[in-house]
Amino acid sequence: MHANVHVIGDATGQANFKALHDPFWVRWGLVGVAVGFIVLFLCVPLGLVLYQAFSKGWQAYWTALAQPDAIAAMQLTLVVALITVPLNTVFGIAAAWAITRFEFWGKSLLTTLIDLPFSVSPVISGLIFVLMFGAQGWFGEWFSAHDIKVIFAVPGIVLATIFITFPFVARELIPLMQEMGNEEEEAALSLGASGWKTFFKVTLPNIKWALLYGVLLCNARAMGEFGAVSVVSGHIRGVTNTLPLHVEVSYNDYDVIGAFSSASILAGLAIVTLVLKSFLEWKQARV
Amino acid sequence: MSILLNNISKNFGKFAALYDVSLEIPEGELVALLGPSGCGKTTLLRIIAGLETPDFGRVLLSGEDKTEQHVSRRGIGFVFQHYALFRHMTVFDNIAFGLRVKPRKERPTEAFISKKVHSLLELVQLDWLADRFPDQLSGGQRQRIALARALAVEPSVLLLDEPFGALDASVRKDLRQWLRNLHQELHVTSIFVTHDQEEAMEVASQVVVLNQGRIEQQGAPADIYDHPANAFVSKFIGQTNVFDLSETESNWLQRAGILAEKPQGIFAHVRPHHIDIVKAEETSGSPVTLKDWQHLGATIRVELFNPQHNGSGATLFAEMPNERFKQLNLNKGDRVAVHIKQAHWFN
């Protein structure tokens, strides 16, 4: 009897094992397709960027990057990110807090609106800002009367970037804060902590990895955004060109080394972002 | 600190969670807010704490109106149903939290905090867990740490929301006893919420029964059990057999011994231990059939079937000591007669 039970157990075990696994050729076929795609569409272009950037050697690469226009583009990109990312971090936390902690009329509409920048084409977003702040725009007259330049100037680029990168932080925080609930915060308040202390000692430590993840994605997009910024910037060399715009302008001028050396900086940024992103994902999974 | 609630009402949208609740709790009591789920007991507790604001009514602690005061300034200790321990802090830091967030002028020294935390850990008998994180503790341990954390700020009122709700049965039994002893040691006015009437009767010195946002009865556990104010309390506290006069033949009730005089209501509620069984040969008593029985430890619960009853209440439960049941020497299907010793009448 005992032996019998064992035999039956083994037999069903094997049957299950086979039933749960696809044939060899299906498994390796799928893996092959996936890897082939990644190589063809991600690795080859990335390699090509680096190959083109260094096609005339290190010297040419550094010379291209040291051009005043390239340096100005990098500086502008950094300035835009330095303004946009902190602002959207604060906005994102505020929006996530409002949505997950309070009940109010129009809450689901707000939740939908946060995703708006993802669903609107960046070019349209840029055009909206031109329509609002451009010389013929709604507020254009008022701004030109006060001698404030928004469109074809840095403020316009910052505004467009803020709009485009708004969802990243909020979208990371909302599901996490919904899942955590607010009991820990209520506990902190009942123990006599003020609102600020509760936020810094209880809420922030609990959301910090998701927050950093959102900030990272927000930063990557802020530095890499092309469409919306392209519409509002006016492509003034050394003044309103961000790094992605500088790549385009150089390429159009047949300055291959200039275009690809700047592109390699953006590619490097993407790789750093990917590494940090994996680290943060690993960290979040452990919390 | 005594607690006084005056005409508290609270609505969530169109749902009335509490309706005109007034309640007085003297200092030093251990009170259970008891009721079925959705009766408003947790809302009432959160209103006392200041985690919820009432739509109408006042909350007075020690005679002072605290209705508008923020939760962080009320001096209450709140223990959450799911403990709400700070997951990124050690047990030590969790308990020290309330002392460390005090304004600089009132904040004690780290040495004092450390002493205080360790004395609290000894009080909850978990001193060896100081360096652990909450997710490394069992449910019962988390509950006791949550209690130690609430006690660290020396609250004048301790509020516990379903303190044993998420624990398994054996841990729950131990913790009930432990909470009772702790209360006797500390004498801080405490209120806990529960839907388990046994738990309320066992732990509390005062029980407040709530139903659909209203208080049905308040009193000592024995009082509530022996003198239920209405049909809801009678049915909610302990087991009850309900006889509906319109459905049960009055002849049957007369012979059982509860219709000697004029009926005092429409429904007669009878506790199982107020029903006595005798063998059918004896002349008095009302006839029933013995359906089944269950051992409940020292007592036996006997399931009886009343053939002369038309309606839902045809099954009766009686309870008696083991010895008595053995003496009767009965089998399933036997005809027996019942005597009802006491009944509560309700309309």
Side-chain angles (χ1 to χ4, degrees):
Chain A
M1 187 61 206
H2 202 74
N4 246 344
V5 169
H6 264 281
V7 170
I8 290 166
D10 282 349
T12 48
Q14 280 224 325
N16 274 339
F17 186 75
K18 274 188 181 161
L20 285 174
H21 285 80
D22 295 313
F24 176 82
W25 63 271
V26 171
R27 273 184 278 156
W28 287 106
L30 282 171
V31 170
V33 168
V35 170
F37 239 80
I38 288 170
V39 168
L40 194 63
F41 288 97
L42 293 177
C43 298
V44 169
L46 191 64
L48 212 64
V49 166
L50 291 176
Y51 172 78
Q52 290 284 2
F54 289 106
S55 59
K56 298 225 170 102
W58 279 98
Q59 201 58 47
Y61 179 78
W62 283 120
T63 317
L65 281 184
Q67 281 176 41
D69 286 356
I71 289 173
M74 279 185 255
Q75 279 171 341
L76 181 59
T77 300
L78 279 178
V79 166
V80 169
L82 277 175
I83 298 171
T84 308
V85 175
L87 279 177
N88 269 342
T89 305
V90 174
F91 291 159
I93 292 172
W97 191 280
I99 283 170
T100 57
R101 296 293 182 259
F102 305 127
E103 285 303 322
F104 53 90
W105 189 85
K107 183 165 140 172
S108 57
L109 184 70
L110 180 65
T111 315
T112 315
L113 280 179
I114 285 177
D115 280 344
L116 187 70
F118 278 170
S119 51
V120 174
S121 159
V123 176
I124 308 295
S125 324
L127 280 174
I128 292 166
F129 283 101
V130 173
L131 198 68
M132 274 164 54
F133 301 113
Q136 265 79 50
W138 292 348
F139 308 113
E141 253 174 64
W142 188 88
F143 276 108
S144 57
H146 290 78
D147 205 22
I148 302 168
K149 271 189 78 80
V150 178
I151 298 305
F152 305 143
V154 177
I157 297 173
V158 171
L159 279 177
T161 312
I162 287 175
F163 178 84
I164 293 293
T165 58
F166 179 74
F168 289 99
V169 172
R171 272 174 70 107
E172 281 308 315
L173 293 185
I174 288 168
L176 178 73
M177 288 174 73
Q178 245 156 8
E179 185 210 310
M180 286 198 316
N182 60 353
E183 271 205 342
E184 281 184 49
E185 282 139 20
E186 286 185 339
L189 291 174
S190 79
L191 290 166
S194 63
W196 285 114
K197 274 188 179 152
T198 302
F199 177 73
F200 283 111
K201 285 179 184 262
V202 176
T203 313
L204 203 55
N206 277 338
I207 61 169
K208 66 179 173 207
W209 296 115
L211 180 65
L212 279 176
Y213 188 89
V215 166
L216 180 77
L217 294 183
C218 177
N219 180 60
R221 184 65 189 267
M223 289 188 166
E225 172 57 22
F226 178 83
V229 169
S230 171
V231 175
V232 296
S233 112
H235 300 260
I236 307 165
R237 277 172 199 254
V239 183
T240 63
N241 263 357
T242 60
L243 207 47
L245 299 182
H246 181 72
V247 173
E248 194 211 14
V249 170
S250 307
Y251 190 77
N252 287 347
D253 288 352
Y254 304 104
D255 177 6
V256 175
I257 305 292
F260 281 101
S261 58
S262 296
S264 75
I265 300 288
L266 287 171
L269 175 75
I271 289 167
V272 170
T273 304
L274 265 182
V275 171
L276 286 175
K277 181 171 166 280
S278 322
F279 170 74
L280 290 175
E281 273 168 357
W282 173 77
K283 214 50 193 166
Q284 258 182 294
R286 280 161 42 100
V287 170
Chain B
M1 183 144 74
S2 66
I3 299 168
L4 188 64
L5 303 176
N6 280 338
N7 313 94
I8 300 279
S9 292
K10 175 78 183 172
N11 297 298
F12 292 112
K14 280 182 185 152
F15 173 70
L18 292 170
Y19 185 80
D20 200 25
V21 170
S22 294
L23 181 63
E24 192 180 347
I25 293 170
E27 175 151 10
E29 294 276 344
L30 176 54
V31 179
L33 292 181
L34 173 66
S37 47
C39 72
K41 54 194 191 300
T42 295
T43 307
L44 192 60
L45 195 75
R46 289 172 62 86
I47 284 174
I48 298 171
L51 291 168
E52 216 70 79
T53 26
D55 297 340
F56 298 101
R58 316 305 298 173
V59 178
L60 283 80
L61 304 180
S62 281
E64 271 179 66
D65 191 334
K66 304 258 181 176
T67 319
E68 311 294 334
Q69 199 171 39
H70 191 253
V71 49
S72 61
R73 313 196 60 87
R74 282 197 192 185
I76 51 99
F78 201 99
V79 177
F80 292 81
Q81 187 180 1
H82 300 290
Y83 328 119
L85 292 175
F86 307 128
R87 62 193 95 181
H88 62 284
M89 292 183 203
T90 61
V91 163
F92 184 97
D93 292 337
N94 261 282
I95 299 174
F97 185 88
L99 298 169
R100 285 181 178 155
V101 297
K102 278 182 190 287
R104 200 163 302 238
K105 280 176 281 172
E106 301 163 36
R107 199 181 306 160
T109 61
E110 270 303 308
F112 177 88
I113 291 174
S114 170
K115 229 176 99 187
K116 176 96 190 172
V117 170
H118 282 292
S119 76
L120 281 163
L121 278 168
E122 268 164 39
L123 181 74
V124 299
Q125 297 151 11
L126 292 173
D127 206 15
W128 45 286
L129 290 177
D131 298 325
R132 301 279 186 90
F133 282 90
D135 62 359
Q136 297 169 308
L137 309 181
S138 73
Q141 289 168 343
R142 284 182 212 184
Q143 187 59 280
R144 284 190 277 167
I145 297 300
L147 192 60
R149 181 178 68 176
L151 289 172
V153 290
E154 293 178 0
S156 41
V157 177
L158 188 60
L159 305 169
L160 306 106
D161 186 9
E162 300 259 4
F164 315 115
L167 302 169
D168 54 55
S170 66
V171 181
R172 203 183 302 181
K173 271 243 177 315
D174 288 348
L175 269 184
R176 280 183 198 170
Q177 192 64 41
W178 179 80
L179 180 67
R180 224 192 134 82
N181 293 341
L182 187 76
H183 180 258
Q184 270 161 11
E185 214 173 299
L186 299 175
H187 266 296
V188 54
T189 312
S190 308
I191 306 179
F192 71 99
V193 156
T194 180
H195 60 261
D196 182 344
Q197 49 95 9
E198 211 179 293
E199 190 169 287
M201 306 297 265
E202 194 181 318
V203 180
S205 59
Q206 287 267 311
V207 176
V208 178
V209 184
L210 279 141
N211 183 38
Q212 295 184 339
R214 290 161 208 261
I215 292 182
E216 300 280 358
Q217 194 174 3
Q218 179 186 6
D223 258 4
I224 289 186
Y225 188 82
D226 292 334
H227 308 289
N230 54 42
F232 173 81
V233 177
S234 167
K235 275 194 272 191
F236 195 71
I237 308 284
Q239 282 232 318
T240 302
N241 295 294
V242 179
F243 296 96
D244 183 342
L245 278 197
S246 65
E247 285 181 348
T248 311
E249 288 204 6
S250 55
N251 188 14
W252 190 91
L253 287 171
Q254 251 163 22
R255 288 183 64 188
I258 54 168
L259 254 189
E261 304 131 45
K262 274 201 335 201
Q264 293 147 289
I266 302 166
F267 299 98
H269 287 214
V270 178
R271 300 283 187 204
H273 61 90
H274 286 145
I275 296 182
D276 195 25
I277 301 177
V278 290
K279 290 234 175 193
E281 299 96 72
E282 293 176 36
T283 47
S284 68
S286 293
V288 288
T289 313
L290 182 74
K291 228 165 105 185
D292 204 354
W293 62 83
Q294 293 108 34
H295 284 265
L296 306 175
T299 57
I300 296 267
R301 180 166 59 200
V302 185
E303 218 177 315
L304 303 163
F305 179 71
N306 178 6
Q308 288 177 32
H309 184 281
N310 36 21
S312 54
T315 302
L316 314 179
F317 290 98
E319 261 176 52
M320 63 186 69
N322 276 339
E323 313 295 315
R324 166 95 180 114
F325 187 69
K326 272 185 199 139
Q327 276 170 13
L328 286 169
N329 191 24
L330 295 167
N331 292 308
K332 280 184 201 177
D334 279 0
R335 300 276 292 167
V336 290
V338 295
H339 281 290
I340 295 174
K341 292 181 276 190
Q342 197 191 327
H344 291 112
W345 289 94
F346 300 107
N347 283 316

